[in-house]
Amino acid sequence: MICVNKPEKNVYNENMAVEKKPALINLHQLKVSCSQCNLSELCFPHGMNPDDMEKLDTVVEQRKPLHKSDHLFREGDVAAGVYAVRSGSVKTIVESPNGDEQIVGFHLPGELVGLDGFMDGKHTCTAIALETTSVCAMPLEKLEVLCTKLPSLHNQMRRIMGKEVNDEHKMLLMLGKMSAEEKVATFLLSVSRRMEERHWKSSEFVLSMPRQDIANYLGLAVETVSRLFAHYQADDVIQVDRRRVSILNMQRLKEIVGECKGAEASAVKS
Amino acid sequence: MICVNKPEKNVYNENMAVEKKPALINLHQLKVSCSQCNLSELCFPHGMNPDDMEKLDTVVEQRKPLHKSDHLFREGDVAAGVYAVRSGSVKTIVESPNGDEQIVGFHLPGELVGLDGFMDGKHTCTAIALETTSVCAMPLEKLEVLCTKLPSLHNQMRRIMGKEVNDEHKMLLMLGKMSAEEKVATFLLSVSRRMEERHWKSSEFVLSMPRQDIANYLGLAVETVSRLFAHYQADDVIQVDRRRVSILNMQRLKEIVGECKGAEASAVKS
DNA sequence: CGTTTGATTGACCCCACTCAAACGTGGTGG
DNA sequence: CCACCACGTTTGAGTGGGGTCAATCAAACG
């Protein structure tokens, strides 16, 4: 059986390249397999036994790769399924009645998108590819049927939804209570932690989203994000070159998030 | 059978009174019944058929009433069940590593609390009574067992979780993109709408939470909330006396939320 | 009636937004 | 190959929204 995941670094490489052309082989023509995917520990099947994972393989479909700015689904769409990012990255946004939009999440390989629609059948947010991105799709009906047969899958769904709620709570805390400095530091640490989860360098990475999207996500102006990146660079906390970020002083970043009152004097003296 | 819900206005009265003593009869000694509860249309059983609702009655337990500031559960607690507010009101909060907290929701009679813990077994937020409050508890194990038997209940769980996710998305939008004026107007409209859902006066109500909690919830300072209440009162949009609020110009409030750029000049001229 | 808690109001100031301009960088076409 | 344009990013200057601090006031409570 052909498995696109065998070469263990490929998906990461595709993710890291800011604007790389699609792979030579046509991913969406290949059968995919959770049980042989190197992202399985992060993704849907995390913690499931091999038998159940093989059953999960029967419901997972590979989708045609998305290009940058392509929509995976839109707010209001009937929810066709849950998606796992395979390579690339995705942002999810919600729109306000008066037009402007709030980014509610960035999703890296192994992370799930579309859980919002799993619940009441319609998506409450819009998902857009930040770069060339491929996803695995798990159609709702098949997933539901399988859920009734596999208790482990049922638990898995619950665990995953729990993480979703937890993440949104953290984000409410960030938007409601944090200063701009804390927000940017939190964002960098969040990306770093998730890079580490993927066994990718945690202190040197390429952001797949423009400053505008980071600012939107954090509830800030673009200029503020740009300035704070510059400040942190001047203080040797990070090094930035366009979208490439290196974290030089992880401890300092954590101090800024943990207790900004005490740390900001030394962290940012402007 | 004795049913505390028969007198249709009682729970509302208890809710509306800011600091009223518990009812003369001891609520927690009585058997409760979803099928005969006048909140059923708003609460868990919404849309379920009478047969299924009666089965739901078997898992619902009445709890001893909570006093003001009592904890229903704390972050980190093992999730014992899902709770429906019966009378009174509850706030849910999340805590940041450095100590300060963000209120993530206010819950009125008929609304559910504890869904965050339904997912991965542990609560990710803390629930505190804002006033004397009674809740119905649905223990997790019983609920799960019943879910496997009743497809309608299973769908219900999903619908309810969907609402939860949707609500949090709206809140992210509010905290991330709205001005103080828009936030306060949104808050007032939200309370008004929920009062109407409960067939209670939608333009004249008593807030069960102090200014401090409103400010925290909206990501503002207490003084800002107080000032905006005063501004809106000066413009005859609302009338406030401590916690009692009357909405005089609902249309204006909606304009402020919908398109603050065009409306703020006439709505608030400072 | 003093105390406490919550709400209001005013004065002041700072963080972060807005406006504006300059600066790469990458893509396109001549 | 270079000139050109478009886009994202950076940087500076100025400002205003909302936070902070502090005093006052009102209601509830012992």
Side-chain angles (χ1 to χ4, degrees):
Chain A
M1 180 200 282
I2 302 170
C3 176
V4 293
N5 286 21
K6 275 281 172 57
E8 292 206 358
K9 286 292 184 292
N10 272 3
V11 288
Y12 295 130
N13 289 343
E14 188 178 342
N15 174 42
M16 294 308 295
V18 178
E19 224 20 69
K20 195 170 178 177
K21 292 288 171 284
L24 294 174
I25 43 174
N26 241 340
L27 287 174
H28 65 283
Q29 295 177 345
L30 300 170
K31 185 81 196 90
V32 288
S33 157
C34 284
S35 47
Q36 297 188 47
C37 179
N38 59 351
L39 288 167
S40 66
E41 273 311 301
L42 293 162
C43 189
F44 207 97
H46 168 75
M48 288 175 73
N49 67 56
D51 284 355
D52 291 352
M53 225 188 275
E54 272 186 32
K55 285 175 186 139
L56 185 60
D57 287 349
T58 63
V59 307
V60 176
E61 297 172 1
Q62 182 73 34
R63 283 292 187 86
K64 185 158 148 275
L66 298 165
H67 296 112
K68 185 178 176 177
S69 300
D70 280 353
H71 288 63
L72 181 54
F73 54 79
R74 289 165 201 268
E75 186 175 338
D77 280 358
V78 172
V82 176
Y83 307 92
V85 178
R86 186 174 182 72
S87 65
S89 51
V90 169
K91 66 176 172 181
T92 43
I93 67 180
V94 290
E95 273 180 67
S96 85
N98 49 327
D100 51 19
E101 48 193 42
Q102 170 71 41
I103 296 178
V104 296
F106 296 119
H107 308 271
L108 303 183
E111 294 176 334
L112 298 169
V113 196
L115 293 167
D116 60 298
F118 181 77
M119 290 307 168
D120 64 350
K122 281 193 175 179
H123 286 294
T124 62
C125 63
T126 300
I128 302 174
L130 285 165
E131 57 193 312
T132 302
T133 297
S134 62
V135 298
C136 298
M138 289 165 279
L140 268 199
E141 323 84 54
K142 290 187 182 176
L143 202 56
E144 275 184 47
V145 172
L146 198 61
C147 262
T148 60
K149 292 177 188 165
L150 296 181
S152 71
L153 184 60
H154 202 240
N155 286 334
Q156 194 67 348
M157 284 307 309
R158 297 236 314 267
R159 201 186 59 82
I160 284 162
M161 284 303 304
K163 189 177 180 315
E164 185 85 353
V165 172
N166 202 7
D167 286 349
E168 297 205 343
H169 278 174
K170 287 211 183 85
M171 197 167 163
L172 288 174
L173 194 57
M174 184 180 72
L175 288 174
K177 290 284 162 294
M178 288 189 187
S179 67
E181 288 169 10
E182 291 174 297
K183 285 177 180 176
V184 172
T186 301
F187 172 74
L188 289 171
L189 285 174
S190 165
V191 174
S192 172
R193 185 183 44 72
R194 287 148 83 191
M195 286 293 160
E196 184 154 43
E197 280 175 2
R198 279 150 194 79
H199 308 297
W200 196 248
K201 288 183 192 169
S202 64
S203 51
E204 198 181 331
F205 44 82
V206 177
L207 300 170
S208 59
M209 70 293 288
R211 295 283 188 278
Q212 183 62 61
D213 283 358
I214 299 174
N216 181 306
Y217 175 73
L218 298 175
L220 299 170
V222 201
E223 297 93 327
T224 305
V225 174
S226 186
R227 264 183 265 268
L228 285 172
F229 275 13
H231 284 178
Y232 289 147
Q233 181 163 239
D235 292 342
D236 296 322
V237 178
I238 60 172
Q239 187 172 334
V240 273
D241 175 39
R242 310 234 340 131
R243 295 192 181 179
R244 175 161 288 281
V245 177
S246 301
I247 298 181
L248 306 176
N249 192 340
M250 192 79 75
Q251 186 55 37
R252 180 66 58 83
L253 274 184
K254 288 177 183 171
E255 283 172 12
I256 294 166
V257 171
E259 9 137 29
C260 193
K261 270 68 197 169
E264 70 184 347
S266 56
V268 179
K269 55 198 176 200
S270 175
Chain B
M1 181 200 284
I2 301 167
C3 176
V4 294
N5 287 22
K6 274 281 172 56
E8 290 205 1
K9 286 292 182 290
N10 272 3
V11 290
Y12 295 129
N13 288 344
E14 189 178 341
N15 175 42
M16 294 307 295
V18 178
E19 223 23 68
K20 196 171 177 177
K21 293 287 172 284
L24 292 176
I25 44 174
N26 240 340
L27 287 173
H28 64 284
Q29 296 179 343
L30 300 171
K31 184 79 197 94
V32 288
S33 157
C34 285
S35 48
Q36 296 189 48
C37 179
N38 58 350
L39 288 165
S40 67
E41 274 310 301
L42 293 164
C43 190
F44 208 98
H46 167 76
M48 289 174 73
N49 67 56
D51 284 355
D52 291 353
M53 225 187 277
E54 273 187 32
K55 286 175 186 139
L56 185 60
D57 286 349
T58 63
V59 307
V60 177
E61 299 172 0
Q62 182 73 35
R63 285 291 188 88
K64 185 158 147 277
L66 298 164
H67 297 111
K68 184 177 179 180
S69 301
D70 279 353
H71 288 64
L72 182 53
F73 53 79
R74 289 164 201 267
E75 186 175 339
D77 281 359
V78 172
V82 176
Y83 307 92
V85 178
R86 186 172 180 75
S87 67
S89 51
V90 169
K91 66 176 172 181
T92 44
I93 68 179
V94 290
E95 273 180 68
S96 85
N98 49 328
D100 51 21
E101 49 193 42
Q102 170 71 41
I103 297 177
V104 295
F106 296 118
H107 307 270
L108 303 184
E111 294 177 334
L112 298 169
V113 195
L115 292 166
D116 61 296
F118 181 79
M119 290 305 168
D120 64 351
K122 280 192 176 179
H123 286 293
T124 62
C125 62
T126 300
I128 303 174
L130 285 164
E131 56 193 312
T132 302
T133 297
S134 62
V135 298
C136 299
M138 289 165 278
L140 268 199
E141 323 85 52
K142 289 187 183 176
L143 202 56
E144 277 184 46
V145 172
L146 199 61
C147 262
T148 61
K149 292 177 189 164
L150 294 182
S152 71
L153 184 59
H154 201 238
N155 287 333
Q156 193 67 349
M157 283 308 308
R158 297 236 313 268
R159 201 186 59 81
I160 284 163
M161 285 303 305
K163 189 176 182 312
E164 185 86 353
V165 172
N166 202 7
D167 286 349
E168 297 205 343
H169 279 174
K170 288 211 181 83
M171 197 166 163
L172 288 174
L173 195 57
M174 184 181 71
L175 287 175
K177 291 283 165 293
M178 288 188 185
S179 67
E181 287 168 11
E182 291 173 299
K183 286 176 180 178
V184 172
T186 300
F187 171 75
L188 288 171
L189 285 174
S190 165
V191 174
S192 172
R193 184 182 44 72
R194 287 148 82 192
M195 286 292 160
E196 183 152 44
E197 280 175 2
R198 281 153 191 75
H199 308 295
W200 194 250
K201 288 183 191 169
S202 64
S203 50
E204 199 181 329
F205 45 82
V206 176
L207 300 169
S208 58
M209 71 292 290
R211 294 283 188 278
Q212 182 61 59
D213 283 357
I214 299 174
N216 181 307
Y217 176 73
L218 298 175
L220 299 171
V222 201
E223 296 91 327
T224 305
V225 174
S226 187
R227 266 184 264 268
L228 285 172
F229 275 14
H231 284 178
Y232 288 148
Q233 182 163 239
D235 293 341
D236 295 322
V237 178
I238 60 172
Q239 186 172 335
V240 273
D241 174 39
R242 303 216 12 111
R243 295 191 182 178
R244 173 161 290 281
V245 176
S246 302
I247 298 181
L248 305 176
N249 192 340
M250 191 80 74
Q251 185 57 36
R252 180 66 59 85
L253 274 184
K254 288 177 183 170
E255 283 171 13
I256 294 167
V257 170
E259 9 134 32
C260 191
K261 270 69 197 169
E264 69 186 347
S266 56
V268 179
K269 52 193 179 208
S270 173

